[in-house]
Each structure stands twice: as C-alpha cells, then as structure tokens.
Amino acid sequence: MTTSLGRLAVVPAREVWPHEALDFTPWLLRNVDVLSDLLGMDLVLEAAEHPVGGFSLDLIGRDESTGEVVIVENQLETSDHTHLGQIITYAAGTDPTTIVWVATGFREEHRAAIDWLNQRTDENTRVFGVVIHVVRIGDSEPAPNFELVAQPNDWNKTVKAATRQSGETSEREATYREFWNFVLPRMRAQHPSWTRRNTSKQSFCDTIFGVPGIVGSMVWTREGLVSQIYFLATDPALATARFEALYERRAAFEAALGAVPAWEPMEGKKATRIAMLSPYTDVNDRERWPEIADWLIDSQARLRRAFAAVGGVVGVVAD
C-alpha cells in the first residue's frame, strides 16, 4: 500500500500580510496564542502602536500569570540595526521583563546581539528572537509556523544568580524549580488553558483566571502549601473592591467550593486573596509530590467552579 503525502511549501510572509503595521501587527494581536505557545508564557497582548515618547511600539502586553510587562517589535523582513535600536529605546520606556523581536530572518550579528543582551542583563530580563515562517501543504490555507532562534540561557542566569546568593537560597530555588516542573506538565495535560508556564524558581506559581488582575496562585508559605484566588491591582482599591464583591456572596461561593476558605483582605497591601490551606508543609517531601500535584489541580478547579458559580462577579468591577 502506498501512502500519498502532500508537499510542504513555504509562503512569503508578505503574501499573507502585505503591510506590517496594517496587517501583521493586528493579526498577531488577535492570535497571541501563536507566541504564547512558542514562548511557554501566558501572554496577553493589550495594545498595538503603544506610544513611547515620540515613537510607537508595535505591541505591548503582559505575562498573565506574573503580571510582568512584555513588548513585541515586528519586522516583515530580515533583522536590521534600525529595529535593534528601536527595541532598546522601547525597552527603556516601558521597563519590560520580556522583549520579543519578530522578523522573517535574523542576521548572525543580531542573533549575537540578543545573546549578548541575555548574558549581560539580570536574571529577570529575557530577550527572544522569533522568525516568521508561513507554510502550506498543497492547496491548503497558509499557516504560521514561527521558530524561536534566540532566547535566554536560563541555566547561565541561574548560575550567575546563585553566585550572588547563599548556598541555602540557591538550593531552595532549585527545589522549587524541580517541584513546579513536576506539577505544571500534569496541570497542563488536564487543563491546558490554565497556564503555559513550564516551571518557576519561586515559592509561588500563578495560573490564568480569565480576568486581568486576578490569578489562581499556588504558593508554599510558612504554614504550608496554599491554593488561592489572588486579587492584584496597581490600584489597591480595585483589588479590595473585587474581594469585597465576592465576599458579599461568600455563602454561594463556599457552597460551590465545598469548603470554608480563608478570606484575607490583607489591609495595607495592594493585594487581597481567598486561600485554601493544604495538609502539605514540606516541598522537599518528593515521595508525596504526585498527591500534592493532584491536590493543587483539584483545588484550583474547585476555586474556578466557585468563582463561576457566583457569576465571576468580580469581573464586573472594572480595571
């Protein structure tokens, strides 16, 4: 038996997006999942042609699970010095954690420039180079197939950070990274929309909750592992208003949750939270990681169901 196979053909990017600002940038704004999947981030793009002084940044957004600023500069041609300079200018004006340069190809000098930036910046700054590919099979519709060609060397940054820290701190971060690397793939397998993150070196890791400024947070505290809804806003009054809107409906929320969580207004801080405390107290208890992962997935699902049961009421408290 002979299997008939189609031929993969490359489509010039400008046949799909004739104009960078009018066609490609709006498309990427609507199809952010292409970058999210490639970068392993919960990326939300919020605005196109964002003003930076007298210039305009192509796209600005944030990593929804961390709240960190992300900027994207597009180029429907091979990388050039002009766009490299623009990226540095935009970064200075927006203070991003993640910088993404998208082009149809990268000169070796510009890949080297990205590598240099990743080596010289601190461990909280990331620069990515992404190549635009468009392909089709036979007469099929063209499809994006982006390629990550330059990225941070996280291992090197972790080593550099560790040399500035005590041995105890670096060992603890390594344990957290290993733990989240164990939990998150299991979580994504069951609930792929919750997060695209792979791991974290922090004691906490956040998941998407569908409302800006609200995350499903998982954190190791002094009391033990906690799963929670975390309200975080630049304006503390907004976080408080959202918390109070949900607290007014706590009876319905707790009935749907099947538990009585800790309602914590956290006065004097920018955040508020609704927390469920687990029976787990030691991240180093590796033998229990499978059941800990199951508890986290179940508790996050229950918090989401309870949130939905009261109509996601905090979502109407506008940003």
Side-chain angles (χ1 to χ4, degrees), residues 81-282:
H81 281 7
T82 299
H83 281 78
L84 177 59
Q86 288 173 343
I87 286 170
I88 294 173
T89 300
Y90 297 147
T94 56
D95 193 25
T97 296
T98 300
I99 302 164
V100 185
W101 185 2
V102 181
T104 57
F106 279 86
R107 299 180 186 277
E108 286 302 320
E109 298 89 342
H110 296 141
R111 288 198 195 190
I114 293 175
D115 291 341
W116 184 86
L117 286 169
N118 280 319
Q119 291 166 4
R120 295 291 180 171
T121 53
D122 63 34
E123 57 270 17
N124 295 317
T125 303
R126 302 180 291 269
V127 187
F128 296 92
V130 175
V131 169
I132 307 164
H133 295 300
V134 182
V135 297
R136 65 158 49 101
I137 300 176
D139 296 326
S140 70
E141 291 292 321
N145 184 28
F146 289 5
E147 178 187 5
L148 189 59
V149 298
Q151 58 188 308
N153 188 329
D154 287 333
W155 175 250
N156 281 347
K157 289 197 171 188
T158 301
V159 171
K160 288 180 181 179
T163 62
R164 297 193 295 271
Q165 300 168 339
S166 69
E168 180 183 354
T169 300
S170 59
E171 182 179 349
R172 185 166 60 250
E173 288 183 348
T175 301
Y176 286 140
R177 186 182 295 277
E178 186 180 352
F179 173 78
W180 296 120
N181 190 51
F182 181 88
V183 171
L184 292 176
R186 287 161 175 76
M187 182 171 286
R188 286 198 305 274
Q190 297 181 42
H191 304 281
S193 65
W194 287 5
T195 184
R196 291 182 172 89
R197 298 191 71 181
N198 296 314
T199 188
S200 170
K201 67 178 181 179
Q202 307 294 338
S203 61
F204 65 90
C205 188
D206 295 338
T207 62
I208 293 174
F209 229 78
V211 179
I214 304 176
V215 295
S217 183
M218 305 171 289
V219 56
W220 287 96
T221 70
R222 293 179 180 178
E223 292 75 28
L225 180 62
V226 171
S227 185
Q228 59 191 5
I229 300 177
Y230 199 76
F231 304 85
L232 179 63
T234 303
D235 178 6
L238 176 59
T240 300
R242 287 173 162 174
F243 174 86
E244 290 177 347
L246 202 56
Y247 186 72
E248 290 176 1
R249 293 157 176 84
R250 64 187 180 278
F253 183 93
E254 291 174 355
L257 184 65
V260 178
W263 296 82
E264 301 182 15
M266 300 172 67
E267 295 180 4
K269 297 186 177 181
K270 292 184 177 181
T272 56
R273 65 187 180 188
I274 304 167
M276 298 175 67
L277 181 63
S278 78
Y280 308 106
T281 58
D282 186 5

Side-chain angles (χ1 to χ4, degrees), residues 296-314:
L296 282 171
I297 293 168
D298 177 69
S299 64
Q300 285 283 304
R302 291 168 64 191
L303 286 167
R304 282 167 168 76
R305 285 196 299 269
F307 185 78
V310 295
V313 64
V314 289

Side-chain angles (χ1 to χ4, degrees), residues 24-30 35 45-50 56-61 70-74:
F24 181 71
T25 297
W27 177 87
L28 191 56
L29 185 64
R30 296 190 304 270
L35 273 184
L45 295 178
E46 298 172 328
E49 302 302 320
H50 179 75
S56 294
L57 166 65
D58 284 335
L59 291 161
I60 189 168
V70 178
I71 65 172
V72 181
E73 181 65 7
N74 302 322

